[in-house]
């Protein structure tokens, strides 16, 4: 039995990437479904789910059990907290050897897909954790309007937005941006795998005969798909903390660590997955300001007249109220602290644990970004989930105001 039709102004949840850092998002989701949803009277306070990289995995997991969102989030938390490092982090010697040969100028032997980790453990984890076949059913029964997963098309470098939508919902007008393509589909495991295939870490994924990798290369926080789909209220979640002023001693430690291969690898992945969320929010604020000014100058019909003049080939311009929840602590620092702790050293030993301990001990800096992307460990995940839960709770009133039906009626501005 489906839920009642969604309100006229859709709410969208936008989930960013970050590999193992993504456990943070589960804590935010827990607060949303257990605390915010009852406060506003909607079991799932979102009509649109949009994700990139590990955020795509979470979007699919929530969509697959959208009829029971508390159960969906509990299942996500279980799948993260039961992880042992060796479950997902298994080095592929052939890929490592191929990378070394490439650096030395030798031609690779056999097909290489650009990742040093075996993909099979991640594929198995996804298959067990996310019942992808239920996404279409929940869309059909009205629990959601749309779900998007973003990936990067390797051959062209374009962002491809894979869209699964409710029956009868028309395709939205899409921008003429040559770097982005909308592709309607029925979401499957390979779409989530492709979106999460971080270059250097996981190999690219073949979909319909073409290679795809992490969507975060161009669209780490997928605002654009949610806005094109008509979102009027938008909540983005990112595990990346805001930059802040650092003590001089820490800056010196970073300089000394600069020549370290692990330090550089972590910064390289950070650069690949550059978070443009502040730029996106700035653009939303600018659009809202223009629409407000137009209504003050020409009356309440300004937005409708403007959209009529633009024509049907453009997506309609409308006010979008947005909020962003970001990690309140540096997750690179948390990863280094966890791996250097006695708690981690007493966990079941293995090649993966020894490798990460070596990486942490080799760094003088208190932050280890590469570790934070690779640390698929239940103990570390539990810390990030708790951090996400606390960060969301600290903004409970703001979240309720953003997602409640009344402030989301047409014409409402932030």
């Amino acid at each position: 039995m489906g839920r009642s039709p969604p309100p006229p102004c859709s709410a969208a949840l936008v989930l960013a990437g970050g590999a193992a850092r993504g456990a943070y998002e589960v804590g935010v989701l827990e607060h949303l479904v257990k605390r915010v949803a009852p406060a506003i009277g909607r079991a799932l306070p979102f009509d649109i789910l949009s994700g990139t990289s590990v955020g795509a995995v979470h979007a699919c997991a929530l969509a697959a059990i959208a009829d029971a969102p508390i159960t969906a989030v509990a299942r996500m938390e279980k799948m993260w907290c039961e992880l042992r490092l060796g479950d997902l982090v298994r080095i592929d010697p052939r890929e490592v050897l191929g990378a070394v040969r490439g650096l030395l100028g030798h031609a690779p032997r056999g097909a290489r897909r650009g990742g040093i980790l075996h993909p099979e453990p991640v594929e198995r984890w996804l298959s067990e954790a996310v019942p992808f076949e239920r996404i279409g059913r929940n869309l059909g029964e009205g629990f959601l309007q749309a779900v998007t997963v973003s990936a990067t098309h390797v051959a062209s470098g374009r962002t491809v937005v894979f869209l699964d939508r409710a029956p009868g919902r028309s395709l939205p007008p899409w921008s003429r941006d040559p770097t982005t393509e909308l592709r309607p589909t029925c979401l499957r495991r390979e779409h989530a795998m492709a979106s999460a295939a971080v270059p250097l870490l996981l190999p690219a994924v073949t979909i319909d005969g073409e290679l795809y990798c992490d969507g975060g290369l161009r669209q780490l926080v997928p605002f654009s798909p949610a806005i094109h789909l008509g979102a009027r209220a938008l909540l983005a979640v990112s595990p990346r903390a805001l930059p802040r002023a650092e003590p001089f001693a820490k800056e010196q430690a970073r300089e000394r660590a600069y020549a370290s291969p692990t330090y550089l690898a972590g910064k390289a992945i950070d650069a690949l997955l550059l978070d443009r969320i502040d730029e996106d929010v700035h653009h939303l604020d600018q659009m809202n300001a223009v629409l407000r000014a137009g209504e003050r100058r020409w009356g309440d019909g300004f937005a409708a007249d403007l959209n009529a003049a633009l024509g049907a080939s453009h997506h309609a311009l409308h006010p979008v109220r947005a909020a962003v929840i970001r990690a309140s602590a540096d997750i690179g620092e948390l990863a280094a602290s966890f791996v250097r702790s006695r708690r981690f050293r007493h966990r079941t030993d293995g090649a993966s644990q020894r490798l990460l301990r070596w990486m942490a001990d080799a760094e003088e800096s208190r932050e280890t970004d590469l570790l934070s992307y690779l640390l698929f460990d239940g103990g570390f995940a539990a810390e990030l989930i708790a951090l996400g839960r606390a960060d969301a709770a600290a903004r409970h009133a703001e979240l309720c105001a953003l997602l409640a039906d009344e402030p989301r009626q047409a014409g409402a501005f932030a």
Side-chain angles (χ1 to χ4, degrees):
M1 183 177 182
R3 61 173 236 187
S4 58
C9 304
S10 300
L13 176 65
V14 176
L15 298 170
R21 297 180 178 207
Y24 171 85
E25 296 175 350
V26 178
V28 177
L29 290 175
E30 181 182 328
H31 184 82
L32 289 170
V33 300
K34 286 187 175 180
R35 299 289 181 264
V36 174
I40 66 173
R42 298 185 67 197
L44 180 63
F46 301 100
D47 310 296
I48 300 165
L49 303 177
S50 187
T52 291
S53 194
V54 71
V57 174
H58 292 153
C60 289
L62 188 55
I65 318 181
D67 51 332
I70 292 178
T71 300
V73 174
R75 185 167 178 162
M76 286 186 230
E77 184 169 0
K78 184 174 186 288
M79 80 182 197
W80 276 101
C81 291
E82 290 184 350
L83 274 177
R84 292 294 178 267
L85 191 60
D87 293 344
L88 297 186
V89 181
R90 285 174 45 201
I91 303 296
D92 187 338
R94 294 170 300 178
E95 290 286 339
V96 175
L97 180 60
V100 172
R101 287 179 58 83
L103 288 173
L104 296 177
H106 301 298
R109 293 175 178 172
R112 293 192 59 245
R113 294 188 294 166
I116 64 171
L117 302 181
H118 277 288
E120 291 85 356
V122 181
E123 292 172 353
R124 186 170 57 251
W125 185 60
L126 266 179
S127 296
E128 294 172 355
V130 183
F132 286 90
E133 69 282 356
R134 296 181 58 181
I135 295 177
R137 189 197 71 178
N138 285 328
L139 287 165
E141 294 187 358
F143 291 100
L144 293 166
Q145 295 181 34
V147 185
T148 74
V149 165
S150 299
T152 301
H153 184 248
V154 171
S156 66
R158 294 192 309 271
T159 296
V160 174
V161 179
F162 294 104
L163 166 67
D164 206 344
R165 66 195 192 281
R169 184 181 174 92
S170 60
L171 287 176
W174 209 254
S175 65
R176 298 173 184 175
D177 181 357
T179 67
T180 305
E181 175 188 346
L182 178 67
R183 192 169 299 179
T185 190
C186 292
L187 290 174
R188 307 184 301 272
R189 184 188 69 184
E190 51 263 42
H191 296 108
M193 277 292 299
S195 186
V198 179
L200 306 178
L201 298 184
L202 283 167
V205 175
T206 300
I207 300 175
D208 299 329
E210 298 177 306
L211 282 179
Y212 294 86
C213 66
D214 197 305
L217 297 184
R218 284 188 176 271
Q219 198 180 79
L220 183 65
V221 187
F223 272 36
S224 177
I227 293 171
H228 277 85
L229 288 163
R232 300 297 180 95
L234 189 154
L235 174 63
V237 184
S238 173
R240 187 185 292 251
L242 280 170
R244 58 184 185 273
E246 304 288 2
F248 180 66
K250 183 173 181 179
E251 292 178 351
Q252 285 187 312
R254 280 179 176 162
E255 287 190 353
R256 288 191 293 269
Y258 179 76
S260 162
T262 55
Y263 183 88
L264 289 176
K267 295 305 178 187
I269 293 176
D270 264 349
L272 285 173
L273 303 180
L274 181 64
D275 190 341
R276 299 175 180 86
I277 193 168
D278 297 313
E279 182 180 339
D280 288 339
V281 171
H282 176 65
H283 288 162
L284 284 181
D285 289 343
Q286 285 185 316
M287 182 182 72
N288 286 342
V290 168
L291 293 175
R292 279 197 298 267
E295 289 197 353
R296 286 195 301 269
R297 177 65 178 82
W298 288 287
D300 292 343
F302 170 74
D305 292 343
L306 179 60
N307 287 320
L310 288 171
S313 61
H314 291 75
H315 76 277
L317 297 179
H318 52 254
V320 180
R321 304 174 66 252
V324 180
I325 295 184
R326 308 183 71 154
S328 57
D330 187 314
I331 292 181
E333 290 185 6
L334 295 179
S337 176
F338 182 81
V339 172
R340 291 167 180 157
S341 70
R342 182 175 300 177
R343 178 184 176 193
F344 182 77
R345 293 175 186 274
H346 287 171
R347 296 177 73 84
T348 303
D349 198 15
S352 300
Q353 284 90 336
R354 290 194 295 273
L355 173 64
L356 293 196
R357 285 203 301 268
W358 172 81
M359 288 166 57
D361 292 340
E363 296 291 353
E364 181 179 354
S365 174
R366 291 190 295 115
E367 60 178 301
T368 315
D369 289 329
L370 183 59
L371 280 180
S372 69
Y373 289 107
L374 289 173
L375 195 49
F376 288 96
D377 179 272
F380 182 59
E383 289 189 4
L384 297 189
I385 290 169
L387 178 64
R389 188 187 302 121
D391 287 348
R395 298 175 62 185
H396 177 79
E398 179 187 352
L399 294 174
C400 290
L402 175 75
L403 299 173
D405 287 349
E406 289 76 9
R408 288 165 46 217
Q409 296 305 311
F413 290 90

